[in-house]
């Protein structure tokens, strides 16, 4: 075992979802070692089990070898590492829980592009299978600021071969990435019913976006459920995701969207992001907004998914996510919690049994089966709804809106803008919040203008400054916040929501436009960040 002197790197502070940086920054000598050693210093894994897997992007394999050497140097008892190093984020969560591991390391920058000039990321998950809470990420960060050595054992593990080897005193097991996760899905959903459904006339297309879900989707949809070969496309994980953005939304999954737009396209389309925790749901000619998807799954799950037959304990959504889920919770007579952005905030509610289903507007939906959002779970949930109702995606949405009214929703992203301009804009807005109350906006009036702060109802921890909210008298809202996952400049996210009880057939862009214009003017967006239009609208 070697103890190697090192010096701290600045900025190893985990954001919304782990530490995300340019790949080259991660590849600097000592950078990865420092961060991982800081994890081992902050969380005692001596003799414990650790799970390691990533989304297969460039630098995944090298990073895993380094992590294994550090794990052995820090006397981790056992490391479960996925074959080829590839494991989806929800599957890491599943493996941690199934094997009683003390934690896991997820190597991913999620939906961000991969490659030497693109992004890389690492996230530590705790023994519940979920992203470490802020108390732990803070401890890791503080450690990165004072670290002066790391400990390693020499060695190399062949990740292509299943089985056990030893590195120092650590047992390293290369595991089948699919087994635990697929078994869990079979426990949650009615595979017999889905098999009948997918062997009928129904046609689906699943786009793996060259990310980690391809092999999982092939196994589940084609091999186990009998969907025709070719139902799953772009199913081989590539180090650079084929040079594309593995982000399942209307902009980056444009080919799938186009295929579903045609009259002769499949009945159902879905896609997941690079690490498999996000999902996009499409019907023929229709798109399910993530907030609606959360509400519809929550409403329908007890009726058509065996694991939720006994009903839901509660629902949670991140603050910017549409309030459609709140109306479902009210109708079911169960609580709906509003948390800050980022899956880590759902963990305590799930662990305490206060919620069963939760989601975010950023194409993330999940349940208490793991502690990450789960893209394929959401796809299986939608297939279960369609099999149960016999309706099209569009009919399911129409029915939902007829019963609950409709939340028109859009998110506008301005990517890679100047950090100083973004900070100045946010502080100018914060300085004016008091004066905004009562002001006219988009045909209504501002009722509340504040910074969202959250007190965890389970453990009492407080998280402040999680986005500026403008709540209008007519029930519409706008949320303004800066991203915590970007690796270049700042990304500004503007979230807009407008509710109608009866008018459910408007065009979302037209409905949102007056509010978006008004918020743009209030922020002096054009003058401050010099952009006439958002880069991505979802
Ligand atoms: C974004 C999303 C957030 C999501 C996070 C991680 O964070 O808004 O809802 O949980 O990405 O998703 P931010 O801070 O950039 O807005 V994933 O699929 O990138 O792990
Ligand atoms: Co992701």
């Amino acid at each position: 075992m070697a103890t190697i002197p090192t010096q701290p790197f600045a900025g190893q502070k985990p954001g919304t979802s782990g530490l995300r940086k340019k790949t080259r920054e991660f590849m600097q000598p000592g950078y990865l070692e420092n961060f991982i050693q800081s994890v081992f210093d902050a969380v005692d894994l001596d003799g414990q089990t650790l799970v390691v897997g990533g989304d297969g992007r460039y630098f995944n394999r090298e990073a895993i070898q380094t992590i294994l050497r550090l794990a052995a140097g820090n006397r981790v008892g056992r490391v479960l590492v996925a074959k080829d190093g590839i494991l989806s984020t929800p599957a890491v969560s599943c493996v941690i829980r199934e094997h009683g591991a003390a934690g896991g390391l997820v190597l991913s920058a999620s939906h961000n592009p991969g490659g030497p000039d693109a992004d890389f990321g690492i996230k530590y998950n705790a023994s519940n299978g979920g992203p470490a809470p802020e108390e732990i990420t803070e401890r890791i960060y503080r450690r990165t600021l004072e670290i002066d050595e790391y400990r390693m054992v020499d060695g190399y593990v062949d990740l292509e071969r299943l089985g056990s080897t030893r590195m120092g005193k650590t047992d390293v097991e290369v595991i089948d990435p699919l087994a635990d996760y697929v078994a869990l899905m079979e426990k949650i959903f009615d595979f017999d019913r889905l098999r009948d459904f997918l062997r009928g006339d129904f046609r689906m297309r699943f786009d793996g976006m060259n990310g980690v879900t391809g092999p999982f989707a092939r196994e589940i949809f084609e091999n186990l459920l009998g969907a025709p070969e070719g139902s799953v496309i772009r199913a081989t994980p590539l180090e650079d995701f084929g040079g594309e953005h593995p982000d399942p939304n209307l902009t980056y999954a444009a080919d799938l969207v186009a295929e579903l737009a045609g009259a002769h396209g499949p009945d159902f389309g879905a896609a997941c992001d690079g690490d498999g925790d996000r999902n996009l749901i499409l019907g023929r000619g229709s798109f399910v907004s993530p907030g609606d998807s959360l509400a519809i799954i929550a409403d329908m799950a007890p009726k058509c998914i065996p694991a939720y037959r006994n009903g839901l304990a509660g629902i949670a959504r991140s603050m910017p996510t549409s309030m459609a889920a709140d109306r479902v919770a009210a109708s079911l007579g169960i609580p709906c919690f509003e948390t800050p952005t980022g899956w880590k905030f759902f963990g305590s509610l799930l662990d305490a049994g206060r919620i069963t289903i939760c989601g975010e507007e950023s194409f993330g939906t999940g349940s208490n089966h793991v502690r990450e959002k789960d893209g394929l779970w959401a796809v299986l949930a939608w297939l279960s709804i369609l099999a149960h109702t016999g309706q099209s995606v569009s009919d399911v949405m129409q029915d939902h809106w007829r019963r609950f009214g409709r939340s028109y929703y859009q998110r506008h992203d301005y990517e890679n803008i100047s950090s100083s301009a973004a900070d100045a804009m946010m502080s100018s807005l914060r300085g004016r919040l008091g004066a905004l109350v009562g002001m006219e906006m988009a045909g209504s009036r501002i009722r509340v203008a504040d910074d969202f702060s959250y007190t965890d109802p389970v453990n009492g921890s407080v998280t402040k400054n999680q986005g500026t909210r403008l709540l209008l008298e007519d029930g519409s809202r706008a949320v303004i916040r800066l991203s915590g996952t970007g690796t270049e400049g700042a990304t500004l996210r503007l979230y807009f929501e407008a509710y109608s009880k009866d008018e459910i057939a408007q065009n979302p862009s037209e409905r949102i436009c007056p509010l978006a214009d008004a918020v743009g003017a209030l922020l002096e967006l054009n003058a401050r960040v010099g952009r006439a239009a958002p880069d991505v609208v979802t």
Side-chain angles (χ1 to χ4, degrees), residues 424-461:
M425 191 179 78
M426 290 305 285
S427 57
S428 153
L429 176 67
R430 289 204 168 106
R432 286 180 289 158
L433 288 180
L436 295 180
V437 176
M439 195 184 101
E440 204 187 316
M441 178 171 260
S444 180
R445 233 171 251 290
I446 298 181
R447 183 173 62 81
V448 174
D450 66 2
D451 264 326
F452 181 63
S453 122
Y454 177 67
T455 304
D456 186 306
V458 179
N459 58 35
S461 64

Side-chain angles (χ1 to χ4, degrees), residues 110-111 273 275 277-278:
S110 190
H111 54 289
D273 70 336
D275 64 325
D277 54 0
R278 298 186 176 205

Side-chain angles (χ1 to χ4, degrees), residues 314-373:
I315 305 175
R317 61 165 173 84
S318 66
M319 182 272 283
T321 304
S322 96
M323 290 156 77
D326 304 38
R327 294 189 284 275
V328 171
S331 84
L332 295 173
I334 57 174
C336 186
F337 299 88
E338 188 179 40
T339 59
T341 294
W343 210 261
K344 59 188 169 206
F345 295 104
F346 294 133
S348 60
L349 293 166
L350 289 164
D351 287 349
R354 304 272 291 261
I355 59 170
T356 307
I357 285 182
C358 47
E360 296 190 275
E361 50 62 43
S362 52
F363 297 80
T365 338
S367 88
N368 57 357
H369 67 290
V370 287
R371 295 292 181 274
E372 290 277 5
K373 52 189 185 271

Side-chain angles (χ1 to χ4, degrees), residues 22-308:
K22 287 286 165 209
T23 311
R24 286 194 199 283
E25 198 166 341
F26 261 107
M27 290 169 73
Q28 297 173 80
Y31 191 92
L32 175 69
E33 289 83 347
N34 272 17
F35 187 71
I36 300 297
Q37 181 63 53
S38 298
V39 171
F40 291 144
D41 288 344
V43 194
D44 183 15
L45 295 172
D46 200 322
Q48 308 274 333
T49 299
L50 176 76
V51 178
V52 179
D55 61 13
R57 69 181 58 221
Y58 182 85
F59 193 52
N60 192 52
R61 283 161 185 272
E62 293 83 334
I64 288 181
Q65 295 295 342
T66 304
I67 289 171
L68 293 177
R69 292 201 296 274
L70 283 157
N74 284 274
R75 300 172 184 285
V76 172
R78 183 169 68 136
V79 182
L80 303 178
V81 57
K83 182 166 180 293
D84 299 320
I86 296 181
L87 199 55
S88 75
T89 293
V92 173
S93 188
C94 166
V95 173
I96 292 174
R97 295 167 67 80
E98 289 294 320
H99 295 264
L105 288 164
V106 187
L107 281 62
S108 170
S110 190
H111 54 289
N112 290 5
D117 296 312
D119 293 354
F120 195 78
I122 291 198
K123 180 167 65 170
Y124 179 71
N125 281 24
S127 60
N128 69 347
E134 292 199 310
E135 173 242 325
I136 295 181
T137 55
E138 258 309 303
R139 224 156 60 209
I140 296 170
Y141 174 56
R142 281 203 304 275
R143 189 64 204 144
T144 67
L145 298 174
E146 56 199 27
I147 187 166
D148 57 7
E149 58 178 40
Y150 53 83
R151 292 182 292 284
M152 274 190 155
V153 161
D154 220 14
Y156 177 86
V157 174
D158 180 359
L159 295 177
E160 281 164 34
R161 267 218 323 264
L162 295 177
S164 253
T165 45
R166 284 191 90 77
M167 201 183 255
K169 293 203 163 76
T170 300
D171 176 32
V172 179
E173 276 176 46
V174 178
I175 60 164
D176 170 3
L178 302 182
D180 290 316
Y181 181 82
V182 172
L184 181 60
M185 292 302 113
E186 287 181 296
K187 257 190 251 162
I188 296 172
F189 297 98
D190 184 343
F191 268 46
D192 290 332
R193 180 155 203 184
L194 290 175
R195 200 172 292 124
D196 287 344
F197 184 57
L198 287 177
R199 284 187 178 157
D201 299 332
F202 185 82
R203 286 289 162 265
M204 72 174 283
R205 180 83 71 226
F206 177 86
D207 185 348
M209 300 195 89
N210 307 313
V212 74
T213 47
F216 291 82
R218 275 239 160 100
E219 175 67 8
I220 292 174
F221 301 126
E222 295 184 3
N223 297 346
L224 293 173
L225 296 177
E229 215 175 290
S231 298
V232 177
I233 56 168
R234 299 204 289 172
T236 306
L238 300 177
E239 285 201 329
D240 67 347
F241 306 111
E244 294 183 50
H245 236 103
D247 194 357
N249 60 36
L250 297 177
T251 303
Y252 295 121
D255 289 350
L256 183 71
V257 173
E259 192 186 1
L260 268 289
H264 304 292
D267 303 283
F268 177 74
C272 290
D273 70 336
D275 64 325
D277 54 0
R278 298 186 176 205
N279 72 90
L280 167 72
I281 303 292
L282 301 165
R284 192 179 288 141
S286 57
F287 155 66
V288 185
S289 180
D292 283 338
S293 183
L294 171 64
I296 291 169
I297 291 175
D299 180 42
M300 301 298 286
K303 290 169 229 165
C304 42
I305 306 174
Y308 310 101

Side-chain angles (χ1 to χ4, degrees), residues 386-434:
L386 300 178
H388 175 84
T389 60
Q391 289 180 309
S392 68
V393 171
S394 159
D395 287 344
V396 170
M397 284 198 292
Q398 298 285 337
D399 270 7
H400 186 86
W401 295 333
R402 255 179 246 126
R403 284 168 57 210
F404 294 98
R406 179 173 180 187
S407 276
Y408 291 91
Y409 192 89
Q410 264 188 358
R411 183 176 104 181
H412 294 186
D413 290 340
Y414 295 78
E415 294 175 346
N416 195 9
I417 59 176
S418 135
S419 290
S420 54
D423 290 341
M425 191 179 78
M426 290 305 285
S427 57
S428 153
L429 176 67
R430 289 204 168 106
R432 286 180 289 158
L433 288 180

